[in-house]
Amino acid sequence: MNNHAKLSSPALGAILYMALAMVIWAAIETIALLFTKHYSSFQVVWMRYSVHLLFMLIVLGPRARARLFRTQRLGMQFLRGMLMMGMHLSFIFAVRHMPVSATMAGFWVTPLLLLGFSALRGERPDWLHWLITAAVTAGVWVILRPVSAVMQPAGLLAISMALCFVIYMQMTRAMKGEDLLASLFYTAFSVWIVLSAFMPFYWVTPTFPDLLVAAAIGLLGYVGILGFDRAAELAPTWVSAPIGFLQPVMMLFSDWIFRHHFAGRFSLGVAGLIVAALGLLAWRSLPVLRSKLGYHHV
């Protein structure tokens, strides 16, 4: 049995968890539109991780107890948290100087970077996986239309956002023996403890409806990070990396439905091709499942 076949069952789990995380990410971006405009981005991120931590402490804590805190790699856990915060901060500062679409276009070099980092770890995708991922990256750029905006100096912040996420995922892969609950706790706690020092300067008392929005974002954020962590634990990051492109496709439809911004038939056609390409990559990652259904490796 070849390496692809050995990965079949874990690969399916990694793909599904990454798909879950991307659905959650798109939902968070959509729900965040309900926030009133007088909160700083720093406070919104702080509230998100406050809810994440409260959920773990109040709901999971009584049963999990010491599992929430037990780790053999405390320094690496905090470093992962700092990478997650770096991802948020890179985005916050990038969108002050360039459009969100251009920022995200820079970020979506992430799947290619994940393929490269996997190769460096000896977990090598094949040439067709590289080719399709590169083609889908180009398709996402067509949808986001960053034009020259991503080439300005602020574009480095978008690349920084991508690097923070890529290194976060690779560290998670390297720490796959750690308890998932502890990893989820320290990721959130690291961000929360640092931003808490700045909250007196940014704090605006939220209204009750905004507290409900923050609660929804925080709980969804917990599930999203769980999806990222499980995807990295189950299989090499090249397996699930291209599934990340579901997020910009979903945001295309979210903007159409909730913001009444129609991107055009051409962009919708490109989005359809992206989904088809991702389906092919997922199919190629599951040779054992395909063989049971009577198909052969593509």
Side-chain angles (χ1 to χ4, degrees):
M1 184 178 293
N2 59 34
N3 289 335
H4 283 271
K6 291 177 182 178
L7 282 172
S8 180
S9 181
L12 176 60
I15 288 168
L16 292 176
Y17 272 111
M18 181 60 76
L20 171 66
M22 291 303 160
V23 170
I24 292 294
W25 188 352
I28 287 174
E29 294 296 322
T30 302
I31 292 173
L33 297 175
L34 300 175
F35 265 124
T36 51
K37 302 298 184 182
H38 56 274
Y39 305 106
S40 72
S41 298
F42 301 104
Q43 182 176 347
V44 171
V45 173
W46 182 86
M47 288 193 292
R48 167 183 171 171
Y49 286 100
S50 295
V51 173
H52 179 139
L53 286 173
L54 286 173
F55 171 75
M56 294 198 75
L57 290 170
I58 296 173
V59 178
L60 303 180
R63 178 174 296 181
R65 298 185 180 180
R67 283 184 59 199
L68 289 184
F69 320 106
R70 188 183 300 121
T71 178
Q72 300 298 316
R73 301 172 176 176
L74 184 61
M76 292 184 70
Q77 290 285 15
F78 274 106
L79 179 56
R80 285 174 69 254
M82 290 300 96
L83 288 166
M84 186 60 69
M85 186 170 72
M87 183 179 166
H88 287 297
L89 294 181
S90 294
F91 176 81
I92 289 170
F93 289 117
V95 297
R96 293 182 178 182
H97 303 285
M98 57 197 293
V100 172
S101 60
T103 300
M104 294 309 297
F107 172 78
W108 285 118
V109 300
T110 295
L112 286 172
L113 291 175
L114 283 171
L115 264 64
F117 273 73
S118 284
L120 291 174
R121 285 176 52 86
E123 301 172 328
R124 293 181 175 85
D126 62 24
W127 68 269
L128 189 56
H129 209 93
W130 275 103
L131 181 62
I132 295 175
T133 302
V136 175
T137 302
V140 168
W141 275 55
V142 168
I143 290 175
L144 294 174
R145 296 181 177 91
V147 196
S148 60
V150 75
M151 303 306 294
Q152 60 182 284
L156 293 175
L157 289 168
I159 302 302
S160 171
M161 182 183 173
L163 286 172
C164 284
F165 181 72
V166 167
I167 298 171
Y168 175 92
M169 291 294 287
Q170 291 303 122
M171 287 188 67
T172 302
R173 177 76 180 152
M175 297 168 60
K176 59 184 178 180
E178 285 284 288
D179 193 305
L180 178 61
L181 284 180
S183 294
L184 289 167
F185 176 83
Y186 284 111
T187 296
F189 181 74
S190 301
V191 178
W192 181 85
I193 195 67
V194 172
L195 290 182
S196 292
F198 298 94
M199 278 308 98
F201 305 102
Y202 292 101
W203 181 257
V204 174
T205 302
T207 63
F208 182 71
D210 286 341
L211 281 176
L212 295 179
V213 174
I217 290 175
L219 293 175
L220 287 172
Y222 169 85
V223 178
I225 294 176
L226 183 152
F228 291 138
D229 287 3
R230 286 291 288 154
E233 287 178 352
L234 287 171
T237 55
W238 66 261
V239 174
S240 60
I243 305 302
F245 288 123
L246 284 176
Q247 197 270 356
V249 170
M250 294 189 67
M251 289 307 302
L252 181 75
F253 288 97
S254 175
D255 287 345
W256 186 9
I257 295 169
F258 296 103
R259 297 183 181 179
H260 308 291
H261 175 67
F262 180 55
R265 293 181 180 179
F266 181 72
S267 290
L268 290 180
V270 172
L273 291 174
I274 289 173
V275 172
L278 296 182
L280 175 60
L281 286 180
W283 186 246
R284 293 186 74 251
S285 298
L286 306 173
V288 170
L289 176 60
R290 290 201 317 277
S291 66
K292 289 180 180 178
L293 296 174
Y295 294 87
H296 300 287
H297 188 70
V298 178

